[in-house]
Amino acid sequence: MDHDDATPTTGPAGTSTPLGPPLVELEGVNKHFGDLHVLRDIDLTVRKGEVLVVIGPSGSGKSTLCRAINRLETIDEGEIRIDGKPLPEEGKALAKLRADVGMVFQAFNLFAHRTVLDNVTLGPRKVRRAGKKEAEAEALQLLDRVGVRNQASKLPAQLSGGQQQRVAIARSLAMHPKVMLFDEPTSALDPEMINEVLDAMVALAKEGMTMVVVTHEMGFARKAADRVVFMADGQIVEEATPEEFFTAPKSERAKDFLSKILTH
Amino acid sequence: MEDYLTIVREYDVLGAFWVNIQLAFWAAILSLVLGSALALFRISPVPTLRWLATAYVTVFRNTPLTIIMVFITLGVWGQLGVTLSTDFATNFFRLAVVALSVYHAAFVCEAIRSGVNTVPLGQAEAARAIGLPFLASARLVILPQAFRGSIAPLGNVMIALIKNTTVAAAASVATETSSVMKTMIEFHSSHIFAIFFTFAIGYVILVTPVGLLTTALSRRLAVRR
């Protein structure tokens, strides 16, 4: 396994802030879907303030890895710790942990029967027990930040994909997460809407949010990532800075993958 | 014609329909409550609850209503002595409501479950991802959408329920429509068709709005995705 263990201690690309202590730690993580070994001996540490981009061909396990971090996928072996604490198995403790881990999905998954504003306030009100007024005030601020404040009273279906995804980011931010997971956030978007979402994510990265981003958007990786992890066949094949990875990939697997996505 | 009018006036036909309407009303409320709880059990993460709800649905959906009705009166009341009112008629009325409710709850459960299947998995994942525990995500995210998706099938269950209230005859509710119709035909057999159509058309008038209403509601409340 061509595997670089050295974690950078300063954020090279987008941020110049030094990285904090480990926030998300995966140790010897294995997972199977039936006969398929989707995660093989994954060891990975994400430090506070770090922006990690996970890249790789479809079926490489990158989405599963992302979803395992807040236990939307269970794992068969190994340990995942967030802020030093192992992931709880289920129940209240798990719900509490998930509240601290933001998640943005490929399909947006906004609550279809609730307005944009309700989507953002639901978590703060029902999980954090915030008052209606303060929750709505903050939600409007967050919607403003991602540029969709004027859509607050609409239903998700009335919004474009890009707008929906930005609402989804605001919904996650409203929980004041310690880390945010992005599971291919732009893969379901029309090309002209990808940038509006990426811009919101870049802004978030610059503010020092800890992020794990599964994406193929190299522009984002170059602009905002501290580190790129390349996965193939359930394994981490290569870890490098975005610059190193995109200009001089070490493994054959990564070279092959990059040549395929860079040709057009 | 005059004969017919005299017969209809002689018996309390409207009153008989009123009895069925009341049976349907209470059984609808109880079966919706019980059925929703069962549906919640069926989608819960606790295997025991899922098993319980599945067993319930299997038993009650596959047992004829008449048999449940007779069992409730002869078994639960007659043998076990469970009494729901000191008034004889009220007691049978309530026993009939219980039988109708436990029977139709199984169908309500299945209708809601079909509604749950219209809610994409991502909705539940998003609810869990913001830290909502199972019950809260069911109550705030899944069930509200599932109910909207299950209005049409629930309407069908309610239509069946209204018509099935006539089976209360098997629980000795003698004032309801089918019992009254039988008595009328028994004493005025020459008017059998007129009497029959009176009740048949009465039910068509009673049930049609339910179908129209639920169809309109299911369109209006459909969750846009």
Side-chain angles (χ1 to χ4, degrees):
Chain A
M1 201 167 64
D2 192 356
H3 187 265
D4 185 3
D5 261 329
T7 323
T9 45
T10 54
T15 51
S16 54
T17 43
L19 295 174
L23 188 55
V24 179
E25 295 162 281
L26 290 86
E27 225 179 83
V29 171
N30 276 284
K31 181 179 175 68
H32 302 255
F33 281 129
D35 287 340
L36 200 66
H37 200 164
V38 280
L39 295 178
R40 297 169 191 253
D41 302 315
I42 302 283
D43 294 309
L44 185 69
T45 301
V46 185
R47 291 167 174 276
K48 194 170 183 306
E50 187 177 9
V51 177
L52 176 78
V53 161
V54 184
I55 199 166
S58 59
S60 60
K62 55 193 192 307
S63 274
T64 310
L65 173 80
C66 184
R67 290 161 57 83
I69 295 175
N70 70 350
R71 215 178 154 82
L72 284 179
E73 301 284 354
T74 55
I75 56 172
D76 303 335
E77 256 175 65
E79 190 172 68
I80 300 178
R81 287 184 298 273
I82 298 203
D83 225 357
K85 288 187 234 47
L87 274 188
E89 298 248 316
E90 55 192 69
K92 282 224 170 76
L94 180 59
K96 198 162 176 288
L97 175 124
R98 281 177 174 150
D100 288 336
V101 179
M103 176 110 194
V104 175
F105 299 87
Q106 181 177 352
F108 330 131
N109 296 345
L110 293 180
F111 305 130
H113 63 307
R114 289 187 173 250
T115 63
V116 164
L117 187 65
D118 284 350
N119 262 276
V120 183
T121 56
L122 188 72
R125 294 199 56 202
K126 302 295 174 181
V127 178
R128 301 273 193 236
R129 301 281 159 204
K132 190 173 159 76
K133 263 194 179 160
E134 51 173 315
E136 288 187 351
E138 200 196 345
L140 287 171
Q141 255 178 29
L142 289 168
L143 289 172
D144 198 28
R145 202 162 125 194
V146 293
V148 285
R149 185 187 175 127
N150 52 353
Q151 315 287 338
S153 57
K154 290 190 184 165
L155 286 171
Q158 295 171 286
L159 271 57
S160 74
Q163 290 171 328
Q164 288 192 51
Q165 195 60 300
R166 284 182 284 153
V167 173
I169 291 173
R171 174 174 70 180
S172 286
L173 285 175
M175 300 302 292
H176 301 285
K178 292 176 183 165
V179 51
M180 280 187 61
L181 311 172
F182 293 81
D183 185 7
E184 304 207 29
T186 57
S187 299
L189 293 175
D190 290 335
E192 75 267 27
M193 290 166 189
I194 290 177
N195 278 334
E196 62 192 54
V197 172
L198 290 181
D199 287 346
M201 289 166 60
V202 171
L204 207 55
K206 300 250 192 255
E207 282 161 33
M209 174 62 76
T210 311
M211 295 161 72
V212 176
V213 185
V214 176
T215 186
H216 287 163
E217 294 296 333
M218 273 169 303
F220 173 80
R222 281 175 189 267
K223 237 186 269 177
D226 296 301
R227 187 158 51 117
V228 172
V229 163
F230 176 74
M231 280 185 79
D233 305 321
Q235 282 175 316
I236 293 180
V237 178
E238 194 165 337
E239 284 185 54
T241 64
E243 205 50 46
E244 277 166 17
F245 180 75
F246 290 116
T247 50
K250 288 186 224 100
S251 63
E252 280 309 311
R253 207 70 180 78
K255 280 178 199 162
D256 181 52
F257 175 74
L258 286 174
S259 74
K260 276 176 190 149
I261 64 167
L262 288 175
T263 44
H264 36 228
Chain B
M1 189 65 197
E2 251 171 62
D3 276 6
Y4 167 74
L5 289 177
T6 329
I7 298 167
V8 171
R9 277 199 208 98
E10 189 188 325
Y11 295 88
D12 190 3
V13 175
L14 284 180
F17 271 106
W18 180 234
V19 172
N20 289 80
I21 292 170
Q22 289 180 79
L23 283 167
F25 177 78
W26 294 113
I29 291 179
L30 284 177
S31 64
L32 281 172
V33 172
L34 185 56
S36 304
L38 286 168
L40 201 62
F41 280 17
R42 277 201 97 156
I43 60 168
S44 88
V46 185
T48 319
L49 293 182
R50 281 205 303 272
W51 182 87
L52 262 176
T54 310
Y56 181 99
V57 169
T58 309
V59 168
F60 283 96
R61 194 173 58 167
N62 298 315
T63 312
L65 177 57
T66 318
I67 288 178
I68 296 173
M69 206 58 96
V70 170
F71 176 77
I72 290 256
T73 40
L74 298 186
V76 176
W77 173 73
Q79 283 292 318
L80 301 176
V82 176
T83 312
L84 298 178
S85 169
T86 46
D87 177 61
F88 208 63
T90 315
N91 184 41
F92 282 124
F93 177 89
R94 290 185 180 165
L95 289 170
V97 167
V98 170
L100 285 165
S101 304
V102 295
Y103 175 75
H104 288 94
F107 293 90
V108 167
C109 170
E110 290 304 274
I112 293 176
R113 207 164 65 104
S114 78
V116 170
N117 289 340
T118 67
V119 183
L121 183 62
Q123 296 285 309
E125 288 188 344
R128 281 149 70 196
I130 59 168
L132 289 171
F134 169 74
L135 269 182
S137 44
R139 186 169 59 85
L140 298 165
V141 177
I142 312 301
L143 287 182
Q145 295 185 57
F147 270 117
R148 289 157 178 237
S150 57
I151 288 172
L154 276 179
N156 288 336
V157 175
M158 290 303 122
I159 286 171
L161 166 63
I162 294 172
K163 295 188 291 182
N164 284 344
T165 55
T166 52
V167 181
S172 310
V173 179
T175 48
E176 61 83 42
T177 46
S178 70
S179 313
V180 171
M181 183 178 86
K182 235 171 101 186
T183 316
M184 284 168 78
I185 290 174
E186 229 170 282
F187 289 98
H188 306 277
S189 52
S190 56
H191 289 83
I192 180 165
F193 287 110
I195 294 167
F196 168 77
F197 281 117
T198 305
F199 285 95
I201 292 167
Y203 270 100
V204 171
I205 292 170
L206 188 61
V207 171
T208 307
V210 177
L212 292 176
L213 188 76
T214 49
T215 308
L217 268 182
S218 72
R219 286 212 188 112
R220 250 189 74 184
L221 293 179
V223 183
R224 279 179 296 169
R225 302 192 189 280

